[in-house]
């Protein structure tokens, strides 16, 4: 019997202070001033649990650890849960969509 889908994509709002990071700026040449900065990820955990783990330094992305503010469920809730391969594709699609809307985006 196949396992039920349990992977999630998630989006975390980052403080605008992340714009002081040259690496972040280099990856976001189309950033539109005033738009949000975000981290887009995927996980087999509940997004709330994953966010808490980032902030606790457990398998954390450095930008989320330092600049992560809160989850933005309006940008991902409708997609979850899904199979691993679907989540991997959706993570990339969300990043592309948000970048094209002028967001600053970081992905693992």
């Amino acid at each position: 019997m196949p396992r039920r889908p349990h992977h999630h994509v998630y989006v975390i709002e980052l403080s605008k202070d992340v714009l002081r990071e040259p690496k972040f700026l280099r990856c976001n040449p189309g950033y539109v001033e005033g738009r949000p900065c975000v981290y887009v990820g995927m996980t087999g955990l509940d997004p709330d649990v994953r966010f808490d783990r980032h902030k606790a330094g457990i398998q954390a992305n450095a930008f989320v650890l330092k600049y992560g503010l809160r989850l933005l469920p309006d940008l991902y809730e409708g997609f979850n849960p899904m199979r691993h391969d679907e989540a991997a594709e959706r993570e990339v699609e969300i990043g592309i969509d948000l970048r094209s809307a002028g967001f600053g985006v970081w992905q693992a």
Side-chain angles (χ1 to χ4, degrees), residues 59-88:
Q59 296 175 313
N61 174 269
F63 290 146
V64 176
L65 180 62
K66 191 169 180 181
Y67 303 109
L69 300 175
R70 63 190 176 100
L71 289 166
L72 297 174
D74 289 352
L75 298 178
Y76 63 82
E77 264 183 347
F79 303 121
N80 295 328
M82 61 191 106
R83 292 190 330 264
H84 181 274
D85 57 326
E86 293 172 311

mmCIF file of all heavy atoms in Angstrom, residues 59-88:
data_model
loop_
_atom_site.group_PDB
_atom_site.id
_atom_site.type_symbol
_atom_site.label_atom_id
_atom_site.label_comp_id
_atom_site.label_asym_id
_atom_site.label_seq_id
_atom_site.Cartn_x
_atom_site.Cartn_y
_atom_site.Cartn_z
ATOM 1 N N GLN A 59 19.510 21.623 11.516
ATOM 2 C CA GLN A 59 19.469 21.543 10.040
ATOM 3 C C GLN A 59 18.967 22.864 9.474
ATOM 4 O O GLN A 59 18.139 22.901 8.568
ATOM 5 C CB GLN A 59 18.583 20.384 9.580
ATOM 6 C CG GLN A 59 19.114 19.029 9.986
ATOM 7 C CD GLN A 59 18.165 17.912 9.632
ATOM 8 O OE1 GLN A 59 16.962 18.000 9.891
ATOM 9 N NE2 GLN A 59 18.691 16.846 9.059
ATOM 10 N N ALA A 60 19.505 23.961 10.010
ATOM 11 C CA ALA A 60 18.988 25.287 9.690
ATOM 12 C C ALA A 60 19.666 25.899 8.480
ATOM 13 O O ALA A 60 20.860 25.739 8.282
ATOM 14 C CB ALA A 60 19.176 26.207 10.891
ATOM 15 N N ASN A 61 18.904 26.635 7.704
ATOM 16 C CA ASN A 61 19.463 27.508 6.691
ATOM 17 C C ASN A 61 19.964 28.753 7.423
ATOM 18 O O ASN A 61 19.249 29.299 8.281
ATOM 19 C CB ASN A 61 18.391 27.874 5.661
ATOM 20 C CG ASN A 61 18.908 28.899 4.688
ATOM 21 O OD1 ASN A 61 18.769 30.090 4.907
ATOM 22 N ND2 ASN A 61 19.519 28.442 3.619
ATOM 23 N N ALA A 62 21.168 29.212 7.084
ATOM 24 C CA ALA A 62 21.769 30.344 7.797
ATOM 25 C C ALA A 62 20.910 31.607 7.703
ATOM 26 O O ALA A 62 20.782 32.345 8.689
ATOM 27 C CB ALA A 62 23.167 30.618 7.244
ATOM 28 N N PHE A 63 20.312 31.857 6.536
ATOM 29 C CA PHE A 63 19.483 33.060 6.395
ATOM 30 C C PHE A 63 18.214 32.961 7.239
ATOM 31 O O PHE A 63 17.758 33.944 7.810
ATOM 32 C CB PHE A 63 19.122 33.325 4.928
ATOM 33 C CG PHE A 63 20.288 33.767 4.083
ATOM 34 C CD1 PHE A 63 20.358 33.387 2.753
ATOM 35 C CD2 PHE A 63 21.300 34.561 4.590
ATOM 36 C CE1 PHE A 63 21.413 33.795 1.948
ATOM 37 C CE2 PHE A 63 22.365 34.979 3.793
ATOM 38 C CZ PHE A 63 22.423 34.591 2.464
ATOM 39 N N VAL A 64 17.634 31.769 7.327
ATOM 40 C CA VAL A 64 16.434 31.597 8.152
ATOM 41 C C VAL A 64 16.804 31.719 9.627
ATOM 42 O O VAL A 64 16.097 32.381 10.401
ATOM 43 C CB VAL A 64 15.730 30.248 7.879
ATOM 44 C CG1 VAL A 64 14.555 30.059 8.830
ATOM 45 C CG2 VAL A 64 15.261 30.171 6.432
ATOM 46 N N LEU A 65 17.918 31.128 10.017
ATOM 47 C CA LEU A 65 18.355 31.201 11.409
ATOM 48 C C LEU A 65 18.536 32.654 11.836
ATOM 49 O O LEU A 65 18.071 33.072 12.896
ATOM 50 C CB LEU A 65 19.660 30.430 11.588
ATOM 51 C CG LEU A 65 20.260 30.395 12.991
ATOM 52 C CD1 LEU A 65 19.315 29.711 13.981
ATOM 53 C CD2 LEU A 65 21.599 29.678 12.967
ATOM 54 N N LYS A 66 19.173 33.449 10.974
ATOM 55 C CA LYS A 66 19.500 34.832 11.317
ATOM 56 C C LYS A 66 18.357 35.806 11.052
ATOM 57 O O LYS A 66 18.155 36.751 11.821
ATOM 58 C CB LYS A 66 20.738 35.251 10.514
ATOM 59 C CG LYS A 66 21.358 36.560 10.941
ATOM 60 C CD LYS A 66 22.709 36.739 10.265
ATOM 61 C CE LYS A 66 23.354 38.054 10.678
ATOM 62 N NZ LYS A 66 24.644 38.261 10.007
ATOM 63 N N TYR A 67 17.585 35.591 9.966
ATOM 64 C CA TYR A 67 16.610 36.593 9.519
ATOM 65 C C TYR A 67 15.158 36.108 9.475
ATOM 66 O O TYR A 67 14.270 36.882 9.143
ATOM 67 C CB TYR A 67 16.982 37.095 8.117
ATOM 68 C CG TYR A 67 18.363 37.683 8.031
ATOM 69 C CD1 TYR A 67 19.392 37.027 7.351
ATOM 70 C CD2 TYR A 67 18.646 38.910 8.629
ATOM 71 C CE1 TYR A 67 20.655 37.578 7.262
ATOM 72 C CE2 TYR A 67 19.922 39.465 8.548
ATOM 73 C CZ TYR A 67 20.922 38.794 7.866
ATOM 74 O OH TYR A 67 22.179 39.347 7.783
ATOM 75 N N GLY A 68 14.919 34.826 9.771
ATOM 76 C CA GLY A 68 13.560 34.283 9.647
ATOM 77 C C GLY A 68 12.592 34.930 10.630
ATOM 78 O O GLY A 68 12.885 35.009 11.827
ATOM 79 N N LEU A 69 11.455 35.384 10.119
ATOM 80 C CA LEU A 69 10.453 36.062 10.948
ATOM 81 C C LEU A 69 9.250 35.186 11.245
ATOM 82 O O LEU A 69 8.847 35.027 12.387
ATOM 83 C CB LEU A 69 9.983 37.352 10.265
ATOM 84 C CG LEU A 69 11.052 38.406 9.992
ATOM 85 C CD1 LEU A 69 10.455 39.573 9.203
ATOM 86 C CD2 LEU A 69 11.671 38.891 11.296
ATOM 87 N N ARG A 70 8.648 34.642 10.174
ATOM 88 C CA ARG A 70 7.414 33.876 10.355
ATOM 89 C C ARG A 70 7.100 33.141 9.064
ATOM 90 O O ARG A 70 7.588 33.498 7.996
ATOM 91 C CB ARG A 70 6.248 34.789 10.724
ATOM 92 C CG ARG A 70 5.897 35.801 9.640
ATOM 93 C CD ARG A 70 4.911 36.862 10.109
ATOM 94 N NE ARG A 70 4.711 37.843 9.049
ATOM 95 C CZ ARG A 70 3.672 37.857 8.216
ATOM 96 N NH1 ARG A 70 2.737 36.945 8.314
ATOM 97 N NH2 ARG A 70 3.568 38.766 7.288
ATOM 98 N N LEU A 71 6.251 32.134 9.200
ATOM 99 C CA LEU A 71 5.746 31.424 8.023
ATOM 100 C C LEU A 71 4.723 32.297 7.309
ATOM 101 O O LEU A 71 4.024 33.101 7.943
ATOM 102 C CB LEU A 71 5.088 30.107 8.447
ATOM 103 C CG LEU A 71 6.041 29.020 8.929
ATOM 104 C CD1 LEU A 71 5.276 27.915 9.642
ATOM 105 C CD2 LEU A 71 6.835 28.441 7.772
ATOM 106 N N LEU A 72 4.624 32.120 5.992
ATOM 107 C CA LEU A 72 3.627 32.817 5.175
ATOM 108 C C LEU A 72 2.703 31.776 4.542
ATOM 109 O O LEU A 72 2.794 31.482 3.351
ATOM 110 C CB LEU A 72 4.329 33.658 4.094
ATOM 111 C CG LEU A 72 5.234 34.780 4.606
ATOM 112 C CD1 LEU A 72 5.972 35.442 3.461
ATOM 113 C CD2 LEU A 72 4.423 35.809 5.389
ATOM 114 N N PRO A 73 1.812 31.183 5.356
ATOM 115 C CA PRO A 73 0.999 30.058 4.868
ATOM 116 C C PRO A 73 0.115 30.389 3.673
ATOM 117 O O PRO A 73 -0.195 29.498 2.885
ATOM 118 C CB PRO A 73 0.174 29.648 6.080
ATOM 119 C CG PRO A 73 0.262 30.780 7.039
ATOM 120 C CD PRO A 73 1.536 31.517 6.753
ATOM 121 N N ASP A 74 -0.267 31.642 3.489
ATOM 122 C CA ASP A 74 -1.098 31.994 2.326
ATOM 123 C C ASP A 74 -0.401 31.665 1.009
ATOM 124 O O ASP A 74 -1.051 31.490 -0.017
ATOM 125 C CB ASP A 74 -1.455 33.487 2.333
ATOM 126 C CG ASP A 74 -2.442 33.843 3.427
ATOM 127 O OD1 ASP A 74 -2.972 32.923 4.091
ATOM 128 O OD2 ASP A 74 -2.691 35.050 3.626
ATOM 129 N N LEU A 75 0.932 31.563 1.038
ATOM 130 C CA LEU A 75 1.692 31.301 -0.189
ATOM 131 C C LEU A 75 1.906 29.826 -0.471
ATOM 132 O O LEU A 75 2.443 29.468 -1.510
ATOM 133 C CB LEU A 75 3.049 32.011 -0.126
ATOM 134 C CG LEU A 75 3.002 33.537 -0.024
ATOM 135 C CD1 LEU A 75 4.408 34.101 0.087
ATOM 136 C CD2 LEU A 75 2.278 34.139 -1.223
ATOM 137 N N TYR A 76 1.499 28.940 0.470
ATOM 138 C CA TYR A 76 1.779 27.520 0.240
ATOM 139 C C TYR A 76 0.712 26.550 0.732
ATOM 140 O O TYR A 76 0.686 25.412 0.297
ATOM 141 C CB TYR A 76 3.120 27.124 0.872
ATOM 142 C CG TYR A 76 3.175 27.270 2.376
ATOM 143 C CD1 TYR A 76 2.656 26.291 3.220
ATOM 144 C CD2 TYR A 76 3.740 28.392 2.962
ATOM 145 C CE1 TYR A 76 2.705 26.436 4.603
ATOM 146 C CE2 TYR A 76 3.791 28.548 4.336
ATOM 147 C CZ TYR A 76 3.271 27.565 5.152
ATOM 148 O OH TYR A 76 3.312 27.714 6.502
ATOM 149 N N GLU A 77 -0.159 26.958 1.637
ATOM 150 C CA GLU A 77 -1.075 26.004 2.282
ATOM 151 C C GLU A 77 -1.912 25.185 1.309
ATOM 152 O O GLU A 77 -2.153 24.011 1.537
ATOM 153 C CB GLU A 77 -2.019 26.741 3.237
ATOM 154 C CG GLU A 77 -1.543 26.729 4.648
ATOM 155 C CD GLU A 77 -2.527 27.393 5.599
ATOM 156 O OE1 GLU A 77 -3.460 28.075 5.161
ATOM 157 O OE2 GLU A 77 -2.328 27.215 6.796
ATOM 158 N N GLY A 78 -2.342 25.802 0.226
ATOM 159 C CA GLY A 78 -3.214 25.110 -0.715
ATOM 160 C C GLY A 78 -2.573 23.934 -1.431
ATOM 161 O O GLY A 78 -3.266 23.113 -2.021
ATOM 162 N N PHE A 79 -1.248 23.841 -1.377
ATOM 163 C CA PHE A 79 -0.538 22.772 -2.090
ATOM 164 C C PHE A 79 -0.317 21.531 -1.229
ATOM 165 O O PHE A 79 -0.088 20.449 -1.747
ATOM 166 C CB PHE A 79 0.838 23.251 -2.562
ATOM 167 C CG PHE A 79 0.805 24.465 -3.432
ATOM 168 C CD1 PHE A 79 1.485 25.613 -3.062
ATOM 169 C CD2 PHE A 79 0.098 24.465 -4.620
ATOM 170 C CE1 PHE A 79 1.469 26.740 -3.877
ATOM 171 C CE2 PHE A 79 0.074 25.587 -5.434
ATOM 172 C CZ PHE A 79 0.763 26.728 -5.060
ATOM 173 N N ASN A 80 -0.286 21.675 0.076
ATOM 174 C CA ASN A 80 0.143 20.608 0.987
ATOM 175 C C ASN A 80 -0.984 19.711 1.438
ATOM 176 O O ASN A 80 -2.109 20.168 1.522
ATOM 177 C CB ASN A 80 0.816 21.248 2.217
ATOM 178 C CG ASN A 80 2.091 21.962 1.847
ATOM 179 O OD1 ASN A 80 2.790 21.570 0.928
ATOM 180 N ND2 ASN A 80 2.401 23.020 2.570
ATOM 181 N N PRO A 81 -0.706 18.459 1.796
ATOM 182 C CA PRO A 81 0.559 17.743 1.604
ATOM 183 C C PRO A 81 0.639 17.155 0.198
ATOM 184 O O PRO A 81 -0.359 17.117 -0.525
ATOM 185 C CB PRO A 81 0.485 16.642 2.660
ATOM 186 C CG PRO A 81 -0.974 16.322 2.746
ATOM 187 C CD PRO A 81 -1.681 17.640 2.520
ATOM 188 N N MET A 82 1.826 16.661 -0.157
ATOM 189 C CA MET A 82 2.024 16.056 -1.482
ATOM 190 C C MET A 82 3.162 15.047 -1.413
ATOM 191 O O MET A 82 3.841 14.947 -0.392
ATOM 192 C CB MET A 82 2.291 17.133 -2.521
ATOM 193 C CG MET A 82 3.510 17.963 -2.278
ATOM 194 S SD MET A 82 3.582 19.403 -3.359
ATOM 195 C CE MET A 82 3.164 20.664 -2.172
ATOM 196 N N ARG A 83 3.334 14.319 -2.497
ATOM 197 C CA ARG A 83 4.439 13.359 -2.568
ATOM 198 C C ARG A 83 5.771 14.114 -2.676
ATOM 199 O O ARG A 83 5.808 15.265 -3.107
ATOM 200 C CB ARG A 83 4.270 12.441 -3.780
ATOM 201 C CG ARG A 83 3.081 11.485 -3.684
ATOM 202 C CD ARG A 83 3.100 10.421 -4.787
ATOM 203 N NE ARG A 83 3.718 10.858 -6.027
ATOM 204 C CZ ARG A 83 3.040 11.333 -7.090
ATOM 205 N NH1 ARG A 83 1.728 11.426 -7.062
ATOM 206 N NH2 ARG A 83 3.687 11.697 -8.175
ATOM 207 N N HIS A 84 6.845 13.428 -2.336
ATOM 208 C CA HIS A 84 8.173 14.050 -2.335
ATOM 209 C C HIS A 84 8.510 14.694 -3.679
ATOM 210 O O HIS A 84 8.965 15.844 -3.730
ATOM 211 C CB HIS A 84 9.237 13.014 -1.954
ATOM 212 C CG HIS A 84 10.614 13.582 -1.909
ATOM 213 N ND1 HIS A 84 11.413 13.667 -3.021
ATOM 214 C CD2 HIS A 84 11.323 14.109 -0.880
ATOM 215 C CE1 HIS A 84 12.558 14.221 -2.681
ATOM 216 N NE2 HIS A 84 12.538 14.495 -1.387
ATOM 217 N N ASP A 85 8.311 13.955 -4.767
ATOM 218 C CA ASP A 85 8.672 14.497 -6.088
ATOM 219 C C ASP A 85 7.832 15.718 -6.439
ATOM 220 O O ASP A 85 8.334 16.677 -7.030
ATOM 221 C CB ASP A 85 8.584 13.420 -7.175
ATOM 222 C CG ASP A 85 7.219 12.760 -7.279
ATOM 223 O OD1 ASP A 85 6.541 12.601 -6.239
ATOM 224 O OD2 ASP A 85 6.827 12.378 -8.394
ATOM 225 N N GLU A 86 6.564 15.710 -6.064
ATOM 226 C CA GLU A 86 5.702 16.868 -6.306
ATOM 227 C C GLU A 86 6.175 18.068 -5.490
ATOM 228 O O GLU A 86 6.198 19.191 -5.997
ATOM 229 C CB GLU A 86 4.251 16.555 -5.918
ATOM 230 C CG GLU A 86 3.584 15.516 -6.794
ATOM 231 C CD GLU A 86 2.216 15.107 -6.254
ATOM 232 O OE1 GLU A 86 2.100 14.789 -5.044
ATOM 233 O OE2 GLU A 86 1.270 15.120 -7.047
ATOM 234 N N ALA A 87 6.556 17.815 -4.236
ATOM 235 C CA ALA A 87 7.017 18.901 -3.370
ATOM 236 C C ALA A 87 8.308 19.519 -3.912
ATOM 237 O O ALA A 87 8.461 20.747 -3.908
ATOM 238 C CB ALA A 87 7.214 18.400 -1.947
ATOM 239 N N ALA A 88 9.204 18.679 -4.405
ATOM 240 C CA ALA A 88 10.468 19.181 -4.956
ATOM 241 C C ALA A 88 10.200 20.092 -6.158
ATOM 242 O O ALA A 88 10.801 21.168 -6.286
ATOM 243 C CB ALA A 88 11.374 18.020 -5.349
#
